[in-house]
Each structure stands twice: as C-alpha cells, then as structure tokens.
Amino acid sequence: MSSTKSQVRPGAYFDSVVLMQLQRNLLTLPGVEDAGVVMATPANLELLADSDLLSNEGKSAKPEDLLIVVRAAKAADAEAALGKVDELLKQRRSSAGSSFRPRSLSAAVKNLPAAEWVLVSVPGRYAAKVAHEALDLGKHVFLYSDNVSLQDEIALKQKAVKKNLLVMGPDCGTAIINGIGLGFANRVRRGSIGLVAASGTGLQTVTTKISNLKGGVSQAIGTGSRDLKSQVGALSMLQGLHYLAADSETKVIVLISKPPDAEVATRLLAAAHQCSKPVVVDFIGFAPPAAQIGNLYFAAGLDQAARLAVDLAKQPASKKAETNHLKGYLRGLFSGGTLAYEVLNGLQLFLSPIYSNIPIRSEQKLETTLNSKAHTILDLGEDEFTVGRLHPMMDNDLRLRRMKQEAEDNEVGMILLDVVLGEGAHPNPAGELAPAIVAHRKLRKEREFVALVIGTTEDPQQIDEQIRLLIDAAAIVFRDVSATVNYIAARLSQPIAAAETLAKFSEPLAAINMGVESFYDSLKAQGAQAVQVDWRPPASGNEDLARILEKMKA
Amino acid sequence: MADIDKANQQAVERMMDARPILKGVAPARDVIPGMRDNLLLHAGPPIEWERMSGPLRGAVIGALLFEGKAKNAKDAEALVKKGEIDFAPCHHHATVGPMAGVTSASMMVYVIENETHGNKAYSNLNEGYGKVLRYGAYSDEVIAKLKWMNDKMGPILAKAIEASRGLDIRALLAEALHMGDEGHNRNKAGSIMYTAKLAPWIAKVAEDAALESEVLKFLGDNALSVLNPVMASCKAMADAAHGVEGSTMVTPMARNGTDFGLRVSGLGDDWFTAPAEVPDGLYFPSFTSKDANPDIGDSTITETAGIGGFAMAAAPAIVQFVSGTPQDAINTTMEMYEITIAEHKHFTIPQLEFRGTPTGIDIRKVVELGITPRVNTGIAHKDAGVGQIGAGLVRPPMKIFEDAIRAYAEKYKL
C-alpha cells in the first residue's frame, strides 16, 4: 500500500513552469511513484483527484496556495521527498548556461561586431566559400584549411587586395597579430620585428628564436605556402610587407619563404628594397647575390635570420635617403665579364625584364647582341665582340661606339660602365670615356652615367685622377659591386604601386573562429575576444539542396 | 534571381508594417469569408477525418454538439462519416485557432483589421484552462462553457470593442514583450492589459452587473485571454506578406495534430507538410510524453510573425521550457536571428538591449544552416476529451522546408 503525503504552502506563488520542473525533480527521488505540484485552483485540484493525488488536506487548499503532493511506496520516502522541496526549488544550474554559439558567420559578426579576423579551418571543399563570405563581410581571413584550389586562392587574394583586406593562407598554420597567436603559434615577446612568412614552421622557428634572443615580434603574418608562386604573385606577402613598412611599431622586417618564382622574387625584393626599414630575407635555398644590398640582408637559414633581425632591431633606425625614381632602362657596358655577371646577378632581383649576352637564366638571353633591349647588361669582352679587335680593357673604341648607340635610344635612362685599371689595361680609360659622357649628357640631361671603378692607388693609371675625370663628367662613381647594384636598384626598379596599405590592425584583437575549436580556446586563453561558430556543411551536406541554395544566392 | 533578398525585404516590411486592430466580435457565419453551416474550420494544413488525431476529432465532435447538429459523440461521428460535414483549414478562411482550432458557423470570433493593408483576420474566443474544446474535450461542461461564452460574454465583448473603437494589438504586444510575455505560451501581461483596456468599455455597455463581473473575472483569470486576438493579429500581419513574387519567407506555419505544414510567400497556396512531432516539454501531474499528441494548432502563427519562441529571450519566467536558464532563453532567440530576414521594428526585447525580435523565416537559411524554427506550444493529450497535459518546445520537421526549396527551384526554374 503506497502512501500519499501533501503539503500546503499558503500564498506561495510560483510560476507553473517552475512547479512542473519541481514536480519532475520530485519524481526522480527514491521511492516516489507520482507527484503533483500545483497552485490549488479548482481545475488543478480536479487534475490531482483524477490521478488519485488529492488528500483531504489538499482539498482544503485555496487557489492562491501552493499544493505539493507526493505518493511513494513507503511513507518515509514520501516524507523525505517533501523535505527536499525547498532544496529543489533553490536548485539552479551551476552555470548561467553556455553562451550562444552562432551557426552562421553573419550571425557571429552581429554578435561580435569588433571582430576584424575570421579564422577558417572548415574542410577544404567548403573553405573557399566561407573565406569569400568573410571577405564580403569586410574581415581579414586566417585560412588554415588546406585542399583549397590554386584558382580559389587567387580569387580570394585578388578580392582581398581589392577590399584592402588580408588573406593568410590557405594552409596557413600560424600568425601572431597584436601579440595574439592565431592557429599554431608560440607565446613570444612583443617587440619591433615584423615578419611575413610563407612557411608556418619557418615562422614559428624564427619568432621563437627572436624571443629567446630577447628580441620581440610586432606582427607575424602568414601567407600560405603557395603565395610566392607566379600565379599568385605574392599578393599576401606584398600586403604584409607594406603593412610592416608603414607600421610604427615595426623597426625590422623579416621575409621567410621557400625560393619564390623568379619574377615574384623580383617584385618582392624590389618592394622590400624600396622600403625604408632593414629587411632580412630568408628564402630558404635561394642563392643571394650578396650578404647585403642596401637595406636588404640575406640570411643563410632561419637561425641567422632571427639573429640578424635582433641585431638590426638594436641599431638606431637609419634614415634612408629618399631616392627619386629614374625613368628609362639601364644599359650596362662592361669590359670585365665577371663584373657584368655579378651585376646582372644582383640586378635581376630588382629589374625586370633584364637581358644579357651572358644570361644567368635562359629567358634573359638577348636575341642579338647588336641591339639592346629593356634593361641590358653586355659583356663586351665576350668573343662575339672581340673577334679581330683588342679587348675592351685595352681599347675603348667598341665601348664608345656602343655608348653612342645606347645614348641615341630615348628609352635609355642610365648607362653603366666598368673602369678596370691596372697593368696591361688602357693607360687612361677615363680620359676617353669622360668626354663621351659629357657629349652624351648634352643630348639628354637627366640621363645618368654610373661608373664602377676597380683598381688601387698603386695602379699606373692614377685612380684618383681617373675618378676625378669621371666625376667632372657628372658620372656617379662606385668602388664596389654591391653598392653599384644597390644604387641602380633604388634608382631604376619600378616604384611598387603599393595597393593601399592595410588599415592598422585593431587592438585588442577580436576574431571569429569557424572550425577547429582549439583555435577558439587558445584565442580565449590569450585574452582575445572571440566567437566560436558552430559551423556545419550547408544544407546538412545535402549537395542537391546546397546546389539549389547556391543558385538562389547568385 | 538577385531579387530574392529584395522580395523578402518587401514581404517582411509588409508583415512589420501591418497594423492589426481588434475591431469586433461577431458570429463566424456573419464575418468569415466562405463560412457556412456545414463547414468546420480546423487548425493546420488540410486533413480528412480519417487522419485526424484524437484532440482534433474530439473538437469536431464538440463543435457539432455545440451547433446542435448532433446529440452525442456517436451521432456526431456518424454525421461526419456520412460526409455531411465539410472541413477546411482555418488558414483558408483568414482565420486561426489555437490547438484544434475548430471553428463553427455560430461561434463568436474576434475580427481583426490590418489598417495598413486593409485585410482582416479572425479567431475564436479563448476558453481558458482545464477541459476545453481546443484540446478536444467535449463533455457537457465544455459545451456549457462555450455556450456561455458565445451567448453571454460574446455580445458584451462585441459591444465593448465597438464602443472602444478598436484596440491596437500590435502596440499591446510590443508592451507585453517588455513585461515578460513572448506572445505564445506566455500571455499573462498581455491578457491583463487586454482586460484592463476592455474593462471600462465592458462596464459601460454591460446591462447586468453580475454578468459584467463574470465576464471580467473570466477575462482576468485567463492568462490566455489575449492569445486569440494576438494570433488573429499575427495572421493579419502574415497574410499581408503572402504572395510576394520570388519571396522565400514563410507566411504561416500550422499543425493539425497529424501534420506540420507551412506556406511560403512566393509559392502560392501550396502547403508543404510532414508528420508533426511530439513536443519536448514539461507535463502536468501524472502525464508523460507517452500521453502526448503530436504538435497541434495554428498558434505557430506567432513564431511566423516574429514572437512566441522567437521572442523567448523576453520571457525569462518560462525558461524552464528551454531547459532552464535565462541564458538558454537568450540562446533560443539568438538562434532564430540566424534564420530570419529582419529584426522587428515594433517588437523589441529589453534583455537584448531592445534588439528587434527575429522576424520573417527564410526557408533558404533554415535549410542552409540546418536550423528549424523554435516553437513554444501547449501539449494536448492524444485522446479526445482529456485536454492539455503540458507545455513545451517543438520544431517543425526539416523536410517541409526542403520540399519548399525544391518547389521554389521548380517554380522559378533554377
């Protein structure tokens, strides 16, 4: 025989939903068979009576009274259950409930309007669509997903450039923005070294090394591993470079990549060279023409890149003289073959297209040595020129004629000559070259003549006198190759039409994470504002419906 | 097809701009278009007797008893089986009814007029709690209460409302949302305001103080008094948005206890239906989900119009329906922003810094994101005559949204 116990609480008002909840909880207590928790209105009393839960005590309750009835197998259980009522009424969920997780990016943006960044790590075949949506909403994209096609990458990056946004990736594993690591990133000191890298682990290695050397990182921007392919054209790295160049917190810039495609390297290094800050370049496996060309420092490996960057960051910022860009092509008329080759080796990083009769890459080969084309470096000591005549180190005739030919070409903005002194060489090369320079300058005043003079004060030609003659003819004289290359690159490389520089990344960093949840957790752990999107494949993966939905968007 | 967004914007603007005013109370046969003596209107999409669930059948029997067409349940069933009674969805007659929604020709109904666009909508009078027709109860006391409502309360309401020159239900709803109502499962504040607004007019027109007292007590005690005018108002708003070429906005969602159905603004009068589900909820003493009927009623017109489950964040007192905490209630509303076209211009939620309620369900978003609308609802016993056994939450089946998308692709040749 089961036992029914009731309790009347006069005038105790609770919302019916609270009461139903209490009733449900009472039912879970040991021995309880049935329970009723109601305000004692006639309708409710009738309900209790139907369930055989109405005692005499209950019958006497008034509509404004709370009536609690428990039926249990044993009277003690029923009493015990009634004794739990207050505890159950007070019971609240320990947490205030988890906060809302949006399913769509647009909802996430509304929830965190401050978010400038969207981290995308959804499966590759959906990633491009999500990234496009993020760009359309005006957000920078950290695209961790791989298996994104090259076409999609190009389309995304072109859109980003147009919208003055950044796409890091696809397949970008790491970045540090305003001190907050995105994706896989180490906790490193903040400081004045800004990095752009097409290699995730490369970036991690250098940033950690910088930090361990007591240097610090301003921004570490990832680009994805294919950014420096010719089809993509380093769109992201160029944006990153320009950002860091303009960033007041960045004193030194580091570029990291596997060897870029040649023309991409030219564009990138020309841009880096035009920047007023030291730029450490580590294109892993790339043969640099020199350890340093102007503000460019070529590092042999990640460790050296970090060390160089830290050292450079300690030096006072040197104001780089503003160089005006000179219009026109370079024509280098060399008597020394190796000099020609080394100058070509350096300048090919900055000037494009560049041709030669001693090409380093096959596409640089001149069709005919009779006529120069675009930027041209000629080794006039090559056999084709010296058949039946003296070597140009001894006889200036060929060079003087070629100078005249080049000077008559209106597209030529600069003529470069080497002047090699010493035993066996022409006794007074400047004496013949300088008057020619003066004569040609009369034709076009703005045209520049640059001379690379090789020799010592002991040499019979009297080097000081040779240099004076050249300077008097308004030639610009250098004594070493890398200084020559640096000067010419600065004067002649195309000013990089810096697509608008990205707006300064806002602090504190706020981001929306779509995909791998640990990225969200780590953003929160680093104190960033973040929203996790509970992303699912469109139309729950039903491709037929997803296709229709796409058409409806178009 | 870039115009879907435009079409949806137009549809949702029409819905939000609609201004439903309670204009009167009158017998259904006098005001509802196409109403006739042998026609019974019911909730949800079309359904024949054979497929009707217990509570709907019970309400049909009750309505026939109320109309005097049958003496008892057996006679009533026989009448139906003989084919003497026609059935049609309320929605086909500019009408909505909670739960079974059965509306017969003699029943007094509220008349709502949308003053912006001129269309009208109708709903029966609310019976309160306990054993009621809308949950399929048809005992003598149920019929007696209906008769009292029809014969005694109805005429007084009619006169009072006429004297008041109309009540602005949209304004009332907007205020109720700031007082803890969500307009579907929770209408306490709205019902009190409704009673308070009508009381002076009832006092003015009533000739019998005892009846006046009874009517006021009936309205005041019933926390659902305003539900039916609210539903008819939502219907008037949604109807104003129906038929916008190219729009993917849902204009009604409704259930008949067997099927859950919806129509889409740009897809004409076709219903998309699938079996209704049993709500997940809390039950009155001695009932469990085993006793529950599948989801029933036209009250999902509230969610269609941007309130009800969509405004859950405004109603913290009933958060237990959504598993417990005010945060869960907020999450419910936040989720509905994902599948809606606009934030309501007039209905706002204090808890969300007065953000407009999520309004205008877009079938595209529902299918793309895999989020179906959240509906707050009462739960009916599956057997005719038992009545309400709980309240809770339900979602429409995804299939009806998917079917609508496919139909859209076909109609608009995508």
Side-chain angles (χ1 to χ4, degrees):
Chain A
M1 185 63 198
S2 53
S3 160
T4 305
K5 300 272 175 199
S6 16
Q7 197 181 87
V8 178
R9 299 188 171 199
Y13 171 79
F14 289 96
D15 192 275
S16 61
V17 187
V18 174
L19 302 182
M20 283 192 265
Q21 188 84 40
L22 173 61
Q23 176 185 304
R24 189 156 78 178
N25 290 337
L26 285 173
L27 284 172
T28 64
L29 296 176
V32 174
E33 293 171 350
D34 204 351
V37 183
V38 293
M39 298 309 292
T41 61
N44 284 334
L45 292 183
E46 203 180 320
L47 271 173
L48 290 180
D50 289 350
S51 322
D52 204 15
L53 281 171
L54 193 59
S55 63
N56 284 333
E57 191 182 0
K59 274 180 203 154
S60 64
K62 299 198 181 68
E64 62 273 19
D65 297 343
L66 173 64
L67 174 58
I68 305 161
V69 190
V70 177
R71 186 171 67 224
K74 286 181 256 165
D77 286 341
E79 287 292 353
L82 282 178
K84 288 254 181 191
V85 165
D86 283 312
E87 193 184 318
L88 290 172
L89 275 174
K90 277 184 206 140
Q91 197 175 64
R92 291 283 180 272
R93 289 184 144 199
S94 52
S95 74
S98 55
S99 63
F100 175 69
R101 283 215 164 161
R103 194 80 68 84
S104 67
L105 185 55
S106 50
V109 167
K110 278 198 180 158
N111 293 350
L112 186 56
E116 267 183 352
W117 297 86
V118 176
L119 281 62
V120 180
S121 52
V122 304
R125 64 195 175 112
Y126 302 110
K129 189 178 159 280
V130 172
H132 272 293
E133 202 188 337
L135 292 174
D136 291 339
L137 288 163
K139 309 295 172 190
H140 300 301
V141 174
F142 174 85
L143 184 50
Y144 172 82
S145 310
D146 52 10
N147 291 315
V148 173
S149 74
L150 193 61
Q151 285 100 309
D152 281 336
E153 175 170 353
I154 294 165
L156 282 168
K157 289 187 170 173
Q158 286 176 345
K159 182 188 269 188
V161 169
K162 234 181 256 167
K163 290 178 166 281
N164 208 16
L165 296 168
L166 184 63
V167 171
M168 300 197 277
D171 199 16
C172 179
T174 182
I176 302 168
I177 304 296
N178 292 342
I180 304 287
L182 310 183
F184 307 119
N186 301 87
R187 297 205 174 179
V188 301
R189 296 155 179 275
R190 286 194 81 168
S192 60
I193 299 170
L195 305 94
V196 194
S199 151
T201 41
L203 189 61
Q204 283 188 279
T205 306
V206 177
T207 51
T208 50
K209 189 102 193 167
I210 287 170
S211 195
N212 293 337
L213 291 168
K214 313 283 183 227
V217 171
S218 59
Q219 309 285 356
I221 295 167
T223 67
S225 54
R226 293 184 304 212
D227 190 62
L228 276 64
K229 282 192 178 299
S230 58
Q231 299 97 315
V232 186
L235 288 174
S236 297
M237 190 169 277
L238 282 166
Q239 282 180 295
L241 176 66
H242 288 137
Y243 180 88
L244 296 174
D247 176 30
S248 59
E249 281 151 48
T250 302
K251 277 176 71 184
V252 177
I253 298 169
V254 181
L255 305 180
I256 305 164
S257 169
K258 286 168 209 147
D261 284 353
E263 69 191 273
V264 175
T266 306
R267 209 170 330 148
L268 207 46
L269 292 173
H273 191 246
Q274 284 168 18
C275 151
S276 62
K277 298 173 182 178
V279 179
V280 176
V281 178
D282 183 15
F283 292 160
I284 302 145
F286 171 86
Q292 183 192 353
I293 298 177
N295 65 327
L296 300 187
Y297 297 80
F298 292 93
L302 300 168
D303 295 343
Q304 203 201 353
R307 230 172 282 123
L308 262 172
V310 172
D311 289 344
L312 287 166
K314 286 179 194 153
Q315 293 170 16
S318 61
K319 273 238 163 141
K320 191 172 149 179
E322 275 290 310
T323 40
N324 296 323
H325 289 282
L326 185 66
K327 283 213 173 88
Y329 290 121
L330 168 74
R331 299 288 152 82
L333 308 177
F334 282 86
S335 58
T338 302
L339 286 175
Y341 199 83
E342 176 140 331
V343 166
L344 174 62
N345 191 41
L347 285 180
Q348 67 178 356
L349 301 180
F350 308 101
L351 304 182
S352 175
I354 188 163
Y355 297 94
S356 179
N357 64 329
I358 46 162
I360 297 171
R361 299 197 300 263
S362 58
E363 71 271 17
Q364 295 167 342
K365 174 103 184 121
L366 267 180
E367 288 150 37
T368 161
T369 52
L370 295 178
N371 292 305
S372 303
K373 189 169 139 190
H375 301 295
T376 295
I377 301 290
L378 285 175
D379 172 11
L380 297 175
E382 272 289 286
D383 293 351
E384 60 213 331
F385 291 108
T386 54
V387 181
R389 79 162 61 91
L390 282 173
H391 191 277
M393 273 202 217
M394 291 176 275
D395 178 357
N396 290 310
D397 181 52
L398 175 62
R399 276 221 284 189
L400 289 168
R401 275 194 283 125
R402 188 69 186 220
M403 265 173 77
K404 182 165 184 290
Q405 179 187 331
E406 302 296 356
E408 282 163 0
D409 182 346
N410 279 333
E411 292 194 313
V412 173
M414 181 188 281
I415 293 173
L416 166 65
L417 306 164
D418 62 345
V419 181
V420 182
L421 310 179
E423 299 291 347
H426 189 280
N428 183 11
E432 292 186 4
L433 293 171
I437 290 171
V438 172
H440 295 319
R441 276 181 53 80
K442 277 190 185 141
L443 288 176
R444 252 186 98 195
K445 252 196 137 115
E446 66 277 20
R447 182 173 288 150
E448 274 188 16
F449 287 80
V450 176
L452 169 57
V453 180
I454 305 294
T456 72
T457 46
E458 318 298 315
D459 283 331
Q461 288 89 349
Q462 295 189 341
I463 191 163
D464 292 345
E465 178 60 13
Q466 291 289 311
I467 290 173
R468 191 190 59 76
L469 283 170
L470 289 165
I471 289 175
D472 285 353
I476 296 153
V477 176
F478 292 98
R479 301 284 307 273
D480 67 61
V481 176
S482 70
T484 311
V485 168
N486 181 42
Y487 177 76
I488 295 171
R491 289 290 275 151
L492 287 184
S493 64
Q494 284 306 305
I496 304 298
E500 239 177 303
T501 306
L502 300 170
K504 192 164 169 51
F505 304 146
S506 301
E507 277 195 75
L509 182 123
I512 293 163
N513 186 48
M514 304 193 66
V516 179
E517 196 168 346
S518 62
F519 291 172
Y520 165 78
D521 295 336
S522 86
L523 284 171
K524 295 296 265 185
Q526 294 175 86
Q529 283 184 284
V531 165
Q532 170 74 16
V533 174
D534 185 13
W535 182 87
R536 319 267 172 95
S540 309
N542 182 324
E543 294 189 3
D544 183 35
L545 284 167
R547 235 188 333 270
I548 297 175
L549 290 169
E550 275 308 303
K551 284 188 195 159
M552 290 172 92
K553 275 182 199 161
Chain B
M1 287 317 303
D3 285 342
I4 296 180
D5 287 340
K6 225 166 146 189
N8 284 343
Q9 203 53 43
Q10 192 191 335
V12 81
E13 291 288 339
R14 286 181 67 87
M15 189 155 80
M16 294 190 294
D17 288 340
R19 185 150 176 247
I21 307 288
L22 175 58
K23 283 292 178 99
V25 168
R29 72 162 62 76
D30 294 349
V31 287
I32 294 179
M35 195 66 205
R36 53 187 193 274
D37 282 355
N38 71 332
L39 176 64
L40 291 184
L41 304 182
H42 61 78
I47 188 166
E48 62 283 6
W49 172 263
E50 287 69 29
R51 294 185 65 242
M52 283 183 191
S53 64
L56 183 48
R57 284 185 176 199
V60 165
I61 290 166
L64 293 174
L65 295 175
F66 168 79
E67 290 286 341
K69 288 189 179 298
K71 292 240 158 6
N72 53 45
K74 222 175 126 191
D75 286 358
E77 279 196 44
L79 202 61
V80 169
K81 283 180 180 159
K82 265 202 294 186
E84 306 266 314
I85 304 300
D86 293 341
F87 295 106
C90 293
H91 272 292
H92 292 187
H93 294 266
T95 301
V96 279
M99 304 312 287
V102 170
T103 305
S104 61
S106 306
M107 284 183 190
M108 287 289 207
V109 293
Y110 287 112
V111 180
I112 295 283
E113 186 176 340
N114 163 13
E115 289 203 333
T116 310
H117 306 99
N119 61 304
K120 291 183 177 168
Y122 311 88
S123 183
N124 53 12
L125 308 182
N126 195 284
E127 307 159 79
Y129 297 96
K131 292 203 169 23
V132 286
L133 186 79
R134 69 176 188 278
Y135 281 94
Y138 55 81
S139 60
D140 292 348
E141 57 187 304
V142 172
I143 305 303
K145 191 198 239 176
L146 280 177
K147 291 218 153 129
W148 176 84
M149 287 164 56
N150 231 48
D151 300 341
K152 305 287 186 188
M153 181 172 77
I156 289 190
L157 287 180
K159 281 187 218 156
I161 293 165
E162 196 190 346
S164 78
R165 299 189 173 200
L167 294 183
D168 185 337
I169 301 296
R170 191 179 73 188
L172 182 147
L173 256 176
E175 204 176 343
L177 290 178
H178 292 184
M179 299 167 74
D181 282 2
E182 41 73 279
H184 183 171
N185 262 20
R186 173 115 180 160
N187 278 295
K188 278 195 173 170
S191 293
I192 290 165
M193 276 194 285
Y194 174 61
T195 306
K197 281 183 196 296
L198 275 184
W201 302 107
I202 289 172
K204 198 165 191 176
V205 301
E207 287 157 13
D208 168 355
L211 180 59
E212 179 197 333
S213 164
E214 260 184 275
V215 169
L216 285 174
K217 180 167 169 48
F218 187 83
L219 291 175
D221 282 354
N222 181 6
L224 295 174
S225 287
V226 83
L227 174 64
N228 301 40
V230 161
M231 282 173 55
S233 296
C234 291
K235 171 67 173 165
M237 295 188 266
D239 273 359
H242 191 72
V244 175
E245 183 73 3
S247 169
T248 55
M249 190 177 94
V250 173
T251 41
M253 295 190 290
R255 313 88 91 201
N256 57 31
T258 304
D259 298 321
F260 200 123
L262 64 79
R263 284 167 151 179
V264 174
S265 179
L267 289 179
D269 288 338
D270 290 345
W271 285 94
F272 301 93
T273 66
E277 285 159 32
V278 171
D280 178 18
L282 296 170
Y283 289 87
F284 297 159
S286 80
F287 296 110
T288 71
S289 62
K290 285 189 198 111
D291 304 310
N293 197 71
D295 196 18
I296 186 167
D298 283 335
S299 53
T300 35
I301 196 69
T302 56
E303 280 83 10
T304 307
I307 56 170
F310 286 37
M312 193 67 199
I318 55 167
V319 293
Q320 265 86 353
F321 286 131
V322 286
S323 86
T325 67
Q327 182 64 49
D328 292 327
I330 286 169
N331 291 355
T332 300
T333 294
M334 296 306 286
E335 189 184 43
M336 293 303 99
Y337 284 116
E338 302 245 23
I339 57 168
T340 45
I341 297 158
E343 298 182 5
H344 209 289
K345 289 195 257 189
H346 304 288
F347 302 147
T348 59
I349 302 179
Q351 288 84 344
L352 298 179
E353 292 169 44
F354 297 92
R355 195 170 167 186
T357 63
T359 303
I361 302 160
D362 185 345
I363 57 170
R364 294 179 302 171
K365 295 182 176 176
V366 170
V367 173
E368 166 138 23
L369 297 175
I371 300 172
T372 45
R374 296 247 207 167
V375 171
N376 289 351
T377 190
I379 304 173
H381 197 285
K382 64 186 172 189
D383 297 332
V386 180
Q388 182 174 7
I389 60 170
L393 258 188
V394 72
R395 291 185 190 251
M398 181 56 88
K399 181 179 178 295
I400 59 181
F401 294 92
E402 294 177 351
D403 288 350
I405 286 286
R406 291 198 180 91
Y408 189 97
E410 200 168 314
K411 176 171 176 184
Y412 292 96
K413 305 198 165 45
L414 293 178

